[in-house]
Amino acid sequence: MSEVVSYNREGKIGVITVNYPPVNALGQAVRSGLLAALEQGQKDADAKVLLLVCEGRTFIAGADIREFGKPMQEPTLPALVNTFENSDKPLVAAIHGTALGGGLETALSCHYRVAVSSAKVGLPEVKLGLLPGAGGTQRLPRLTGARKALDMITTGEFVGARDALALGILDAVDDGDDIRAAGLAYAQKVADEGKPVRRVRDITDKIEADKGSDVFDQFRDELKKRARGLFSPFKCVDAVEAAFSLPFDEGMKRERELFMECMESPQRGGLIHSFFGEREVSRVKGLAKDTPVRDVKSVGIIGAGTMGGGIAMNFVNVGIPVTIVEVKQEALDKGLAIIRRNYENSAKKGKLTQAQVEQRMALITPSLTYDDFRDVDLVIEAVFENMAIKKEIFARLDEVCKPGAILASNTSTLDIDEIASATKRPEDVVGMHFFSPANVMKLLENVRGSKTSDEVKATVMAVAKKIRKVGVMVGNGYGFVGNRMLHKRGTEAMSLVDEGATPQQVDKVLTDLGFPMGQFAMSDLAGIDVGYRIREERRKAGEDIPASWMDKLAEQGRLGQKTLAGVYKYEEGSRKPVPDPKVEQLIEQFRKEQGITPRAITDQEILERCMYAMINEGARILEEGIADRPLDIDIVWIYGYGFPAHRGGPMFWADQEGLDTILCAVKKYRDTVGGEQWEPSALLEKLVSEGRKFGDL
Ligand code: 3H9
């Protein structure tokens, strides 16, 4: 018997137990162990009913994702679940935690399913660029009908035990929290009542009811909007449809073919890289696992603007009280009203009750004085980008805050060490860069200063997890990781328009790649004044920042979505960017002033200049140690800027494009376009000369 699966008998019940931490994934050892345990149960004359149950935090959470892309080892999962279903003794699955993917498929091959009420079930393969490949697309619709199966399989969303019961996925829900006891009790009932073997493959009433329905075509139409550019959601629909048009065994074959198509698609590689990357970033290079973490039970926030308010909501949402300080009562009132409005909107959508809205608002203390920060564990400054003001604020915080309080800045570009120098405790100063809208975007770029202590670094990473963000630790340098690369893309996007492209042409190339919005639509969302202010700040500091047509927009008060006009124009209440002839004239005028004769620019040039400039900068960021690993950059871009997860992030994408192709183009643009962004990164050159990739670092 394998170490990870055991068999024992309790009375008339033969119990098969999986114990393969952390999530009982169906690796080869588990699969072969399950097969052996099933055989033992079949042979055990005293076992009338068999029970499948898992140790640890969860039922089987799926196939072992780490095995994908490697040669398949016997027994395969589809063969295993068939053997389970064919058992001639009744088989009961007892579910706690999350029965996901291959885990739910294994449960569906059992004849009865019982779960504790906290359990969830789901087929999230689509989130990995796959489809359920062990009968999920054939068995689930036999229990739920077409529509619900399509919903679950194409979104990958989990369903709670009670809903799963109502849908027919489960046969019983137990209110206790002892899954073994619940499973044994249910199995005993099956034995006592002499319930028969009941195979899902043989249940056909829902299949007959939905046969020939147009639900599949309707669903494909919906997916064209919801899953634009994605491969596997459409294959999921094909596979589920096969359950309605083919006999079970044929349907299984069709599912297998479609599963293999997904397995071979590059999107699967990108999504699995994102899955592991999201988890890997929490392990910060050089930071010991057992580094002590400070307790953060209360938070102070400076600034009740869009950023400060959004940041406050993150903490309040997890029950951490927040004190927000502003300079003027009016600004404070306005900020709090916006937070309330956001919560009220969630309540209107049924996501919160009115009582929860009030509870959350009650956790916010508005204040006009820093003295109210005396007892807080963490302060986050979220005022606009001005070094002198930030230094003043940090000097004041140093006077007021208790020893051990963490002093963080939400700066998106400025030097954390310089900010820290305004205090006598630079070891407690750190960057916590949230992304707009701060209550929605999942990224938290935590910036270590040269003196930030390990304890503070570990604490801000833990805080990210606590407020359900993906924290990435990055080094201190202008724009850190995300904005530094974004600025390179921005510079190229601007030059492309100067040279003859339209903003909408540039944006379309980026949205075609899979970004939710292009560079210019994003400027409109963030506010044209933000970039303008940063450029002005740098000009004042003596940097040579050339004039641009964007400055003219800002000077005309076209600040983006908030003024219904920026690079694009907007209808009241709509976020849809509409090209504006006035802006085209303004750009033309600007070209004339600069003596530029516009030329036709291809989409390929836009793609290369926007993306390769970013990659070259990403390589420099790695060279300088601002990011520890390429995957840190990938996760920053996926969660902070909507980089399409199925492309795995910019550095993963670059590996697929070919680093030699990219280097070649970088050198071409150095010679034709010029500018420091086209000086090839030494790391990029080294990797190409050694025939290596970012993924090899
Ligand atoms: C599938 O089943 C295909 C079949 O249809 C057909 C096959 C033929 N494999 O997320 P956490 C690791 S596709 C390997 O931090 P949580 C994870 O990397 C699969 N490893 O915990 C992490 O490792 P580390 C369908 C896995 O409590 C650790 O477990 N299933 C797998 O926040 C803890 O994970 C899915 O897509 C796996 N399947 O969330 C489920 N899952 O500690 C994917 C997790 O070294 N998993 N790990 O960083 C999840 O959604 C969440 O992990 C889960 C737990 C909800 C289970």
Side-chain angles (χ1 to χ4, degrees):
M1 180 74 30
S2 90
E3 285 169 24
V4 294
V5 184
S6 59
Y7 177 81
N8 73 304
R9 196 165 37 71
E10 302 201 14
K12 288 183 196 162
I13 315 300
V15 185
I16 299 170
T17 307
V18 182
N19 186 6
Y20 186 50
V23 296
N24 292 313
L26 287 158
Q28 197 275 337
V30 174
R31 296 196 306 274
S32 56
L34 280 170
L35 210 53
L38 181 70
E39 224 175 277
Q40 202 175 344
Q42 299 283 11
K43 283 189 193 144
D44 183 350
D46 293 326
K48 301 299 172 214
V49 172
L50 302 178
L51 171 69
L52 171 63
V53 67
C54 295
E55 290 287 337
R57 64 205 240 204
T58 180
F59 189 77
I60 301 165
D64 191 333
I65 303 170
R66 288 165 302 192
E67 287 183 356
F68 292 167
K70 298 182 188 152
M72 203 85 85
Q73 282 180 292
E74 300 284 334
T76 65
L77 194 53
L80 175 70
V81 296
N82 276 345
T83 312
F84 262 62
E85 191 171 55
N86 288 333
S87 158
D88 48 23
K89 290 185 185 179
L91 247 166
V92 176
I95 298 172
H96 74 299
T98 43
L100 303 177
L104 179 57
E105 291 175 301
T106 306
L108 292 176
S109 73
C110 296
H111 309 129
Y112 299 94
R113 286 160 293 282
V114 58
V116 286
S117 57
S118 56
K120 294 191 176 104
V121 303
L123 293 171
E125 286 87 345
V126 71
K127 295 186 178 170
L128 303 172
L130 291 170
L131 53 84
T137 65
Q138 306 304 298
R139 290 195 178 91
L140 187 67
R142 283 175 157 75
L143 296 175
T144 65
R147 177 90 219 176
K148 191 62 205 178
L150 285 168
D151 271 340
M152 279 180 69
I153 293 173
T154 60
T155 63
E157 298 301 333
F158 304 167
V159 173
R162 297 251 166 247
D163 290 338
L165 179 68
L167 287 166
I169 301 170
L170 296 177
D171 299 294
V173 173
D174 186 285
D175 283 325
D177 54 10
D178 182 345
I179 188 57
R180 202 174 179 87
L184 280 168
Y186 193 86
Q188 190 61 46
K189 192 170 142 192
V190 172
D192 292 346
E193 292 175 11
K195 285 191 182 220
V197 159
R198 186 197 55 177
R199 300 188 173 101
V200 174
R201 59 178 288 158
D202 298 331
I203 302 175
T204 52
D205 52 330
K206 299 237 163 76
I207 296 290
E208 292 308 323
D210 282 336
K211 229 174 210 167
S213 139
D214 59 2
V215 62
F216 302 102
D217 289 335
Q218 271 177 27
F219 222 84
R220 288 189 181 95
D221 282 345
E222 283 172 32
L223 283 180
K224 277 181 200 148
K225 289 176 218 136
R226 178 155 65 77
R228 198 175 60 96
L230 295 180
F231 183 75
S232 73
F234 295 90
K235 299 290 164 188
C236 289
V237 180
D238 294 350
V240 174
E241 192 172 24
F244 293 80
S245 58
L246 298 173
F248 182 80
D249 288 330
E250 295 300 307
M252 286 293 282
K253 274 192 207 144
R254 183 76 188 119
E255 179 193 83
R256 191 75 194 151
E257 284 162 16
L258 293 162
F259 178 79
M260 292 317 292
E261 281 182 36
C262 292
M263 199 57 138
E264 277 148 27
S265 101
Q267 297 195 355
R268 190 266 305 166
L271 284 163
I272 287 181
H273 174 74
S274 311
F275 176 86
F276 284 118
E278 178 183 335
R279 284 152 182 86
E280 194 57 35
V281 288
S282 65
R283 288 180 269 268
V284 177
K285 217 169 131 185
L287 199 60
K289 235 178 160 183
D290 55 358
T291 308
V293 168
R294 294 184 196 166
D295 239 5
V296 174
K297 290 204 180 109
S298 57
V299 173
I301 290 171
I302 306 168
T306 320
M307 256 301 166
I311 295 171
M313 288 173 75
N314 289 306
F315 289 96
V316 167
N317 291 349
V318 295
I320 298 178
V322 166
T323 302
I324 306 185
V325 166
E326 259 293 351
V327 190
K328 291 200 177 108
Q329 185 66 42
E330 202 190 342
L332 207 49
D333 293 345
K334 195 173 154 203
L336 258 80
I338 293 173
I339 297 177
R340 175 171 280 282
R341 199 178 64 209
N342 284 337
Y343 281 137
E344 301 276 358
N345 282 341
S346 299
K348 269 189 215 141
K349 290 182 198 147
K351 291 183 186 160
L352 289 180
T353 63
Q354 195 56 39
Q356 284 169 323
V357 173
E358 298 311 327
Q359 272 163 16
R360 291 186 189 193
M361 290 309 294
L363 284 173
I364 305 177
T365 309
S367 166
L368 294 171
T369 164
Y370 282 29
D371 292 342
D372 288 334
F373 287 151
R374 207 171 289 124
D375 297 321
V376 300
D377 301 313
L378 162 70
V379 182
I380 303 171
E381 161 277 309
V383 305
F384 61 87
E385 294 292 73
N386 179 302
M387 182 55 91
I389 292 178
K390 290 195 194 256
K391 283 171 90 168
E392 232 172 76
I393 289 174
F394 274 74
R396 182 83 186 94
L397 288 177
D398 195 20
E399 286 165 17
V400 173
C401 292
K402 66 181 180 186
I406 295 175
L407 312 182
S409 172
N410 175 52
T411 177
S412 55
T413 50
L414 301 177
D415 183 347
I416 294 296
D417 286 335
E418 192 177 342
I419 294 175
S421 73
T423 74
K424 289 188 274 314
R425 43 173 132 173
E427 66 282 3
D428 286 336
V429 178
V430 69
M432 289 179 86
H433 178 208
F434 289 80
F435 287 71
S436 187
N439 53 322
V440 178
M441 297 302 284
K442 273 188 81 177
L443 178 66
L444 179 56
E445 213 181 22
N446 284 324
V447 190
R448 55 183 170 228
S450 57
K451 295 191 179 144
T452 309
S453 73
D454 280 358
E455 204 172 294
V456 168
K457 288 179 206 162
T459 305
V460 291
M461 292 302 284
V463 166
K465 213 167 236 169
K466 174 93 191 165
I467 59 174
R468 303 187 199 118
K469 301 256 179 231
V470 179
V472 181
M473 181 58 72
V474 301
N476 184 28
Y478 182 81
F480 318 120
V481 169
N483 278 350
R484 177 163 160 188
M485 288 166 73
L486 181 70
H487 286 170
K488 298 295 164 191
R489 192 182 83 177
T491 307
E492 283 311 298
M494 287 300 292
S495 303
L496 285 158
V497 173
D498 289 352
E499 291 166 38
T502 60
Q504 53 272 27
Q505 187 193 359
V506 173
D507 279 1
K508 184 165 184 304
V509 169
L510 295 173
T511 52
D512 283 352
L513 194 70
F515 279 102
M517 61 177 79
Q519 178 76 27
F520 294 107
M522 193 166 146
S523 305
D524 276 356
L525 177 71
I528 305 268
D529 47 332
V530 178
Y532 178 69
R533 217 178 264 145
I534 294 172
R535 286 192 294 279
E536 286 291 282
E537 181 76 9
R538 291 175 66 189
R539 284 176 185 128
K540 266 189 229 148
E543 277 187 68
D544 180 22
I545 310 283
S548 82
W549 52 269
M550 275 285 212
D551 293 338
K552 290 188 194 290
L553 291 181
E555 283 153 14
Q556 287 180 11
R558 295 186 66 116
L559 304 184
Q561 279 191 21
K562 59 188 165 191
T563 57
L564 299 181
V567 179
Y568 298 96
K569 59 182 176 182
Y570 299 85
E571 304 267 333
E572 183 80 56
S574 161
R575 290 176 176 275
K576 187 170 179 275
V578 179
D580 188 343
K582 282 191 198 147
V583 174
E584 274 161 38
Q585 280 164 19
L586 185 138
I587 293 170
E588 249 174 62
Q589 182 59 34
F590 178 79
R591 288 185 189 127
K592 271 190 200 134
E593 284 165 19
Q594 301 290 314
I596 301 169
T597 310
R599 65 182 171 92
I601 294 187
T602 64
D603 288 355
Q604 182 62 24
E605 180 175 348
I606 293 174
L607 180 88
E608 291 178 359
R609 285 178 59 186
C610 287
M611 296 306 297
Y612 294 178
M614 263 176 56
I615 303 302
N616 194 39
E617 197 63 21
R620 290 177 185 171
I621 284 171
L622 288 168
E623 248 168 72
E624 294 167 23
I626 297 291
D628 291 332
R629 300 156 293 196
L631 69 87
D632 292 298
I633 300 181
D634 288 337
I635 297 301
V636 162
W637 270 82
I638 290 171
Y639 289 109
Y641 301 85
F643 192 98
H646 65 270
R647 297 195 192 274
M651 307 318 271
F652 185 87
W653 177 81
D655 278 348
Q656 319 305 308
E657 283 278 289
L659 297 192
D660 47 352
T661 307
I662 294 178
L663 179 63
C664 199
V666 166
K667 287 181 176 163
K668 178 180 83 184
Y669 292 123
R670 174 193 58 194
D671 300 339
T672 52
V673 176
E676 60 79 37
Q677 70 274 30
W678 294 117
E679 285 307 321
S681 129
L683 176 65
L684 186 60
E685 296 212 86
K686 184 166 179 288
L687 288 175
V688 171
S689 71
E690 292 169 357
R692 294 164 74 216
K693 296 174 163 189
F694 289 122
D696 298 326
L697 288 174

